[in-house]
C-alpha cells in the first residue's frame, strides 16, 4: 500500500462559501496560487452553483481567470446541475485559450445521505440529484474530465440526526453506477468518531469503492472530507489511514462549512485544518502529497493568507 496521501485543499470553495462579505476574486485567486505553491495535489477553487443560493461563490469564472496554474496540480469545481456544467465548460474554453490548459480540469457533483439535507442544500431529493448528475457524468466521460461525487451527512445530519452507514452505502452505490471516479465522504457537521467513520468506510468499500491498496478494478476511489467540530477529526484520519484511505480533503486555516448545514444559532463548522491533517499523516509515518512533498512553510503562509482573507471586515461595513 502506498505511503503517500493525496491532499485536496478546499479552502477557496468550502472555506469561503460561508464567509460574510464580498471577498475580491483576486484575493481568492491568490489563495489558490498559495495552495498550489505549497504542493497540495488538488485545489477546489469554487462552485458553479446558483448565486442566489451561494452569493459568495458567484465569481467562479473570474477566480479561474486570475489563477496561475501549476503543472501537477488539479484545479476543481463543484457543479450541481446542467446549468453549472455549462458555466464550467465556458470557463474551460476560456482557460484553454489563455493558458493552453482547460480549467477546471476536474468537476464535483454533490448529494447527501440525508433527504432533508439534500432538499435544503439543492432543493432536490437524493434521487433527483442523481438524475441531475447523469448528463454531467456523460459529459465528463465524453471530455475525459474526472468526476468526484460528494456524499454529505455520512455520520449525522443537522436536521435528521444520526445517519446509518447503510444509508451512505446506498448513495455510494448510486454514484458508483453513475460512473464517478472518486467518492468523497463528507462528515458535514463534524459528528464523526473513529468508530462511526470506520463503519462508513467499511460499508462504502463493500459497494466497490476502493483505496489505493484495495481498489477494485475500474471502481472509484475514496476520499474523506472531515469537518472538525469536536476536535475528533485527527483521530478519524488516523483510523482511516489504518484502513487504507489515502485521500483527504482539508482546508487551510480550518475555514469552511456548508451554509445549508447551519441551524439557528449554530454556524456550520469548519473543515479539518490542513496543518492538522498533515500532522496526523506524519504521526502515522506516511507522507503528505501524492505527487510531491508539501512544503510546510509555504503551507503555513497559505493558511495565514486564508485566515486573513476570511477575517476581513464585510465589504458593506457589517451592515446587512
Ligand atoms: P433551484 O432554486 O431549485 O434551481 O436551486 P432553479 O433551477 O429553480 O434555478 C433558480 C435560479 O438559479 C434560476 O435563476 C436559475 O437560472 C439559477 P432565475 O431564473 O431565478 O434568475 N441557477 C443557476 N445559476 C448559476 N449556476 C447554476 C444555476 N442553477 C440554477 N448552476 C440549485 C437548485 C442546485 C441550483 C441550488 O440549490 C444551488 O445552487 N445549491 C447549491 C448549494 C451549495 O452550493 N451548497 C454548498 C456546497 S455542498 C457542501 O458544502 C458540502 C460539502 O462540502 C461536503 C460536506 O461537507 O458534506 C461538498
Ligand atoms: Mg464540506
Amino acid at each position: 500500500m502506498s505511503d503517500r496521501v493525496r491532499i485536496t485543499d478546499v479552502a477557496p470553495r468550502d472555506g469561503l462559501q460561508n464567509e460574510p462579505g464580498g471577498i475580491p476574486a483576486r484575493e481568492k485567486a491568490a489563495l489558490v496560487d498559495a495552495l498550489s505553491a505549497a504542493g497540495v495535489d488538488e485545489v477546489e477553487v469554487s462552485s458553479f452553483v446558483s448565486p442566489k443560493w451561494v452569493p459568495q461563490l458567484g465569481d467562479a469564472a473570474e477566480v479561474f481567470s486570475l489563477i496561475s496554474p501549476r503543472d501537477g496540480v488539479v484545479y476543481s469545481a463543484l457543479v450541481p446541475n446542467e446549468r453549472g456544467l455549462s458555466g464550467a465548460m465556458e470557463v474551460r474554453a476560456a482557460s484553454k485559450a489563455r493558458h493552453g490548459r482547460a480549467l477546471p480540469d476536474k468537476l464535483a457533483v454533490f448529494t447527501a445521505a440525508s433527504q432533508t439535507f439534500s432538499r435544503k442544500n439543492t432543493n432536490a431529493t437524493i434521487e433527483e440529484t442523481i438524475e441531475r448528475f447523469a448528463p454531467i457524468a456523460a459529459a465528463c466521460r465524453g471530455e475525459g474530465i474526472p468526476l468526484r461525487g460528494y456524499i454529505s451527512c455520512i455520520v449525522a445530519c443537522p436536521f435528521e440526526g444520526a445517519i446509518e452507514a447503510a444509508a451512505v452505502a446506498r448513495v455510494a452505490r448510486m454514484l458508483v453506477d453513475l460512473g464517478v471516479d472518486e467518492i468523497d465522504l463528507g462528515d458535514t457537521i463534524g459528528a464523526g468518531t473513529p468508530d462511526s467513520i470506520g463503519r462508513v468506510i467499511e460499508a462504502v468499500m463493500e459497494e466497490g469503492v476502493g483505496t489505493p491498496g484495495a481498489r477494485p478494478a475500474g471502481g472509484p476511489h475514496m476520499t474523506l472530507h472531515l469537518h472538525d467540530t469536536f476536535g475528533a477529526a485527527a483521530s478519524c484520519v488516523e483510523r482511516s489511514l489504518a484502513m487504507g484511505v489515502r485521500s483527504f480533503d482539508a482546508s487551510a486555516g480550518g475555514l469552511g462549512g456548508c451554509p445549508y448545514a447551519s441551524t439557528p444559532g449554530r454556524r456550520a463548522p469548519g473543515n479539518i485544518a490542513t496543518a492538522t491533517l498533515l500532522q496526523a499523516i506524519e504521526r502515522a509515518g506516511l507522507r503528505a502529497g501524492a505527487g510531491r512533498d508539501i512544503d510546510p512553510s509555504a503551507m503555513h503562509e497559505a493558511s495565514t493568507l486564508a485566515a486573513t482573507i476570511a477575517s476581513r471586515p464585510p465589504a458593506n461595513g457589517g451592515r446587512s
Side-chain angles (χ1 to χ4, degrees), residues 274-302:
T274 311
T276 307
L277 173 63
L278 300 185
Q279 270 176 358
I281 291 168
E282 201 180 332
R283 268 201 310 275
L286 299 169
R287 294 170 77 183
R292 59 192 167 133
D293 287 335
I294 304 227
D295 174 345
S297 74
M299 193 65 231
H300 179 73
E301 271 177 41

Side-chain angles (χ1 to χ4, degrees), residues 10 13-14 17 150 152 186-188 225-227 256-258 269 271:
V10 298
R13 195 279 303 172
D14 204 337
Q17 71 184 3
Y150 271 108
S152 285
D187 180 13
T188 316
H225 174 106
L226 299 166
H227 286 254
C258 175
N271 292 85

Side-chain angles (χ1 to χ4, degrees), residues 14-88:
D14 204 337
L16 300 183
Q17 71 184 3
N18 205 16
E19 287 302 318
I23 297 171
R26 68 184 148 69
E27 292 190 13
K28 297 177 180 178
L31 176 58
V32 172
D33 289 343
L35 291 166
S36 65
V40 300
D41 298 290
E42 178 173 340
V43 184
E44 202 169 73
V45 176
S46 193
S47 300
F48 292 90
V49 296
S50 169
K52 290 188 173 154
W53 283 66
V54 185
Q56 289 90 335
L57 301 185
D59 58 358
E62 192 184 354
V63 176
F64 271 102
S65 78
L66 294 170
I67 62 180
S68 305
R70 275 179 189 257
D71 290 347
V73 178
V74 172
Y75 297 86
S76 54
L78 268 57
V79 290
N81 55 13
E82 280 191 274
R83 171 77 195 275
L85 174 68
S86 53

Side-chain angles (χ1 to χ4, degrees), residues 204-320:
V204 169
M205 277 179 172
E206 280 171 21
E207 298 301 326
V209 183
T211 68
R215 183 172 174 167
H221 79 86
M222 186 187 300
T223 293
L224 204 58
H225 174 106
L226 299 166
H227 286 254
D228 200 7
T229 317
F230 304 108
S235 48
C236 294
V237 169
E238 199 179 314
R239 176 71 63 89
S240 322
L241 289 170
M243 293 177 77
V245 177
R246 290 290 181 272
S247 178
F248 291 85
D249 294 347
S251 173
L255 308 181
C258 175
Y260 296 98
S262 296
T263 46
R266 184 173 185 115
R267 191 173 141 161
N271 292 85
I272 183 173
T274 311
T276 307
L277 173 63
L278 300 185
Q279 270 176 358
I281 291 168
E282 201 180 332
R283 268 201 310 275
L286 299 169
R287 294 170 77 183
R292 59 192 167 133
D293 287 335
I294 304 227
D295 174 345
S297 74
M299 193 65 231
H300 179 73
E301 271 177 41
S303 302
T304 307
L305 180 61
T308 310
I309 288 174
S311 63
R312 53 179 292 121
N316 66 359
R319 295 181 298 275
S320 54

Side-chain angles (χ1 to χ4, degrees), residues 4 24 41 54 58 64 82 96 113-114 117 136 145 172-173 226:
R4 287 204 161 264
D41 298 290
V54 185
F64 271 102
E82 280 191 274
K96 177 94 178 153
S114 147
F117 181 80
I136 300 172
I145 304 170
R173 168 48 51 193
L226 299 166

Side-chain angles (χ1 to χ4, degrees), residues 103-175:
L103 301 178
D105 48 12
K106 176 173 171 184
L107 297 179
V109 290
F110 51 102
T111 186
S114 147
Q115 288 290 10
T116 311
F117 181 80
S118 179
R119 282 183 194 279
K120 291 212 184 245
N121 196 34
T122 57
N123 200 21
T125 63
I126 296 166
E127 291 72 19
E128 285 164 348
T129 62
I130 301 290
E131 277 169 35
R132 284 178 183 172
F133 300 161
I136 300 172
C140 285
R141 257 193 310 278
E143 299 279 329
I145 304 170
L147 183 63
R148 155 184 278 199
Y150 271 108
I151 307 175
S152 285
C153 302
I154 59 161
V155 172
C157 165
F159 312 104
E160 290 184 12
I163 298 288
E164 293 293 325
V168 185
R170 185 180 82 89
V171 181
R173 168 48 51 193
M174 293 178 188
L175 290 172

